[in-house]
Amino acid sequence: MSADPGRDGPVSRPEELLAELDAVRSAAAAGRETHVGFPVATDIDYRPLAPLFGSLLNNIGDPWTDPAGANHTKRYEREVLDWFADLFQAPVDDRWGYLTSGGTAGNPYALYLARARFPGALVYHSAEAHYSLPKCVDILGLDSVVVRTDERGEMDYDDLAR
């Protein structure tokens, strides 16, 4: 890390570190007005969550089984999962899932489960799919077909049919 773009090597003095952090904050703030959507949305005030960032929260394992320690938020994870399960009318006695930090964590697990359930199946995804998808397909040794997209980024249905 370096506050001076022409300088090589790590920041070693406290004043350099503070300058580097200030440069990162300034760069992040420069685009605030044009950031849209999670995870860079600017219309969400995260300050009430700040005290949680000093704690190690770990929702390890099944969402419906609380770990031995109290440093978890599984109650809220279950509420979110149930909300979505209700939305999609999943049977109350046949629900499962877990929350991730985003597509980069969710995609490999989803493809892993798909591979276990449908061995040898092809993965079809659009050219506009989440950037992690081709990497996940490769890591899991899956075969895939990339489907072109139209000018709106929507899957080209003629290409899909071919």
Side-chain angles (χ1 to χ4, degrees):
M1 227 190 311
S2 173
D4 178 359
R7 178 174 182 246
D8 291 324
V11 173
S12 59
R13 296 189 314 241
E15 63 274 10
E16 290 177 323
L17 178 58
L18 292 174
E20 180 68 22
L21 291 173
D22 190 49
V24 170
R25 277 192 295 272
S26 294
R32 276 185 76 84
E33 296 304 316
T34 58
H35 291 168
V36 178
F38 184 81
V40 294
T42 59
D43 59 341
I44 300 171
D45 182 3
Y46 292 103
R47 286 178 293 191
L49 298 174
L52 292 174
F53 296 137
S55 302
L56 175 63
L57 298 173
N58 192 339
N59 283 14
I60 190 167
D62 188 310
W64 280 271
T65 304
D66 287 347
N71 60 329
H72 63 89
T73 59
K74 287 198 173 187
R75 171 185 156 209
Y76 304 107
E77 182 176 14
R78 289 188 288 264
E79 286 182 24
V80 171
L81 293 171
D82 280 337
W83 186 88
F84 277 102
D86 289 343
L87 178 68
F88 292 106
Q89 301 175 358
V92 175
D93 61 343
D94 189 17
R95 297 176 169 190
W96 198 88
Y98 78 105
L99 301 183
T100 72
S101 58
T104 303
N107 285 337
Y109 191 60
L111 288 170
Y112 165 77
L113 291 174
R115 183 184 71 181
R117 178 115 189 234
F118 304 104
L122 281 171
V123 175
Y124 286 86
H125 66 87
S126 79
E128 297 291 324
H130 192 272
Y131 66 87
S132 70
L133 220 55
K135 183 177 180 180
C136 296
V137 163
D138 183 50
I139 289 170
L140 291 167
L142 302 170
D143 291 321
S144 70
V145 176
V146 179
V147 180
R148 288 193 305 258
T149 57
D150 64 19
E151 63 280 351
R152 297 174 304 184
E154 187 174 327
M155 198 176 268
D156 179 326
Y157 300 112
D158 292 330
D159 190 44
L160 177 61
R162 282 190 289 283

